[in-house]
């Protein structure tokens, strides 16, 4: 999955966190407004920490990950969350629940060998989503995604969600100064007229992203967000200063 946003957590206070969402991909030129988006971010952070995927990248890595603790400490924090059992279910709503099966498609225990009683094939119990594979433990299949269930849970998880206007948007006049040998300006693009415009550019316009790709991360467009959860325990895996990039939009 291609990263669409870079998320930074500035502060976590009780049930509320504040942060920034940087726009890093021209396919995602605005930050989603629905409450499913911040919930998806919470689930994403849980998954990264639970699997030891969040760490401190070298400062030379553009928009690199930031996490003030070790990967092992991150796993411990997730394991000690009071409401940790809710997150695997939420993850399953987004990607489908992973079911372990044997070669014949019968549901098996987490050991990958013991067939669950009563003996049932996964397709007879669950609506499967088509994804399947195998790892060092067993074969596995996935259930279908459940956008409706995820949306319902977002209404219970997220009490308030506010986002600011997009900041650090370049001006049209700045876009007009861009020289691009691979994509030269054409007469119909009114470059000369654009050079006089002092309004923020439209992030849907592809030339804006040609300009942005050469800017430092700190100067890229971003949105401030403030999110309040229905219980502070849902934020126990977040901490000030963490940052990661995500492909999540809140759309399942």
């Amino acid at each position: 999955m291609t990263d669409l946003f870079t998320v930074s957590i500035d502060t976590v206070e009780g049930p509320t966190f504040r942060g920034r969402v940087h726009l890093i991909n021209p396919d995602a030129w605005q930050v989603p407004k629905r409450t499913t988006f911040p919930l998806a971010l919470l689930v994403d952070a849980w998954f990264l920490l639970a699997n030891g995927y969040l760490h401190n990248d070298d400062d030379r890595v553009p928009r690199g990950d930031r996490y003030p603790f070790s990967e092992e400490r991150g796993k411990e924090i997730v394991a000690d969350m009071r409401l940790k059992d809710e997150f695997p279910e939420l993850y399953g709503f987004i990607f489908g629940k992973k079911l372990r099966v044997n070669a014949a498609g019968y549901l098996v225990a987490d050991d990958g060998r013991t067939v669950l009683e009563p003996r049932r094939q996964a397709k007879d119990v669950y609506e499967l989503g088509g994804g399947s594979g195998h790892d060092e433990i067993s074969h596995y299949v996935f259930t279908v995604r459940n956008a409706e269930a995820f949306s319902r849970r977002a209404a219970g998880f997220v009490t308030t969600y506010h986002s600011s206007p997009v900041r650090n948007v370049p001006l049209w006049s700045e876009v007009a100064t861009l020289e691009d040998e691979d994509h030269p300006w054409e007469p119909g693009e009114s470059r000369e007229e654009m050079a006089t415009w002092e309004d923020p550019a439209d992030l849907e316009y592809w030339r804006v992203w040609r300009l942005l790709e050469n800017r430092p991360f700190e100067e890229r467009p971003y949105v401030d967000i403030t999110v309040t959860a229905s219980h502070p325990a849902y934020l126990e895996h977040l901490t000030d200063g963490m940052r990661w990039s995500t492909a999540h939009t809140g759309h399942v």
Side-chain angles (χ1 to χ4, degrees):
M1 298 174 67
T2 303
D3 288 333
L4 300 175
F5 308 103
T6 296
V7 184
S8 304
I9 304 299
D10 294 329
T11 62
V12 183
E13 300 174 349
T16 300
F17 76 86
R18 294 175 174 82
R20 294 183 176 187
V21 178
H22 275 83
L23 306 176
I24 61 172
N25 190 313
D27 291 334
W29 48 270
Q30 59 184 350
V31 174
K33 300 291 187 181
R34 297 179 59 190
T35 55
T36 51
F37 179 60
L39 178 56
L41 298 183
L42 293 176
V43 175
D44 194 31
W46 164 84
F47 174 81
L48 294 174
L49 291 170
N51 290 278
Y53 294 151
L54 193 58
H55 50 269
N56 264 324
D57 283 327
D58 188 283
D59 289 340
R60 292 171 295 182
V61 178
R63 63 176 174 84
D65 290 349
R66 295 290 181 267
Y67 190 61
F69 306 118
S70 68
E71 295 171 11
E72 287 306 315
R73 179 57 186 145
K75 291 180 180 180
E76 292 173 357
I77 289 172
V78 167
D80 290 338
M81 291 175 66
R82 285 172 286 173
L83 299 176
K84 62 181 181 295
D85 292 339
E86 296 196 36
F87 284 86
E89 182 180 29
L90 291 166
Y91 187 84
F93 291 153
I94 298 174
F95 293 106
K97 182 180 179 180
K98 186 177 184 179
L99 305 172
R100 295 208 170 273
V101 297
N102 62 17
Y106 285 91
L107 293 165
V108 298
D110 291 339
D111 62 12
R113 299 184 302 274
T114 306
V115 177
L116 298 177
E117 296 292 345
R119 292 170 58 90
R120 296 173 298 177
Q121 289 188 309
K123 64 181 179 62
D124 294 332
V125 182
Y126 299 94
E127 184 179 359
L128 302 182
S132 62
H134 61 83
D135 54 23
E136 67 278 5
I137 299 175
S138 72
H139 294 273
Y140 56 80
V141 294
F142 287 95
T143 63
V144 296
R145 302 177 181 186
N146 195 331
E148 182 179 351
F150 190 73
S151 182
R152 287 198 305 267
R153 294 295 293 277
F157 255 71
V158 180
T159 303
T160 60
Y161 167 40
H162 299 294
S163 59
S164 73
V166 183
R167 311 191 192 283
N168 277 356
V169 179
L171 304 179
W172 282 114
S173 57
E174 294 178 280
V175 178
T177 65
L178 177 68
E179 298 288 349
D180 191 334
E181 294 181 359
D182 296 328
H183 300 87
W185 290 85
E186 300 176 5
E189 291 184 274
S190 304
R191 183 182 186 185
E192 292 77 13
E193 181 181 354
M194 186 186 299
T196 68
W197 300 346
E198 294 303 317
D199 296 323
D202 188 339
L203 289 175
E204 289 185 83
Y205 183 44
W206 67 274
R207 284 198 186 276
V208 176
W209 290 90
R210 289 288 179 179
L211 176 68
L212 291 174
E213 65 187 13
N214 294 316
R215 288 194 168 183
F217 172 73
E218 294 74 14
E219 297 178 16
R220 300 286 292 268
Y222 71 89
V223 166
D224 290 309
I225 62 171
T226 301
V227 179
T228 298
S230 57
H231 197 291
Y234 290 132
L235 309 186
E236 288 176 342
H237 59 313
L238 300 187
T239 189
D240 298 359
M242 65 189 295
R243 184 174 81 193
W244 73 98
S245 294
T246 183
H248 285 274
T249 63
H251 178 73
V252 177

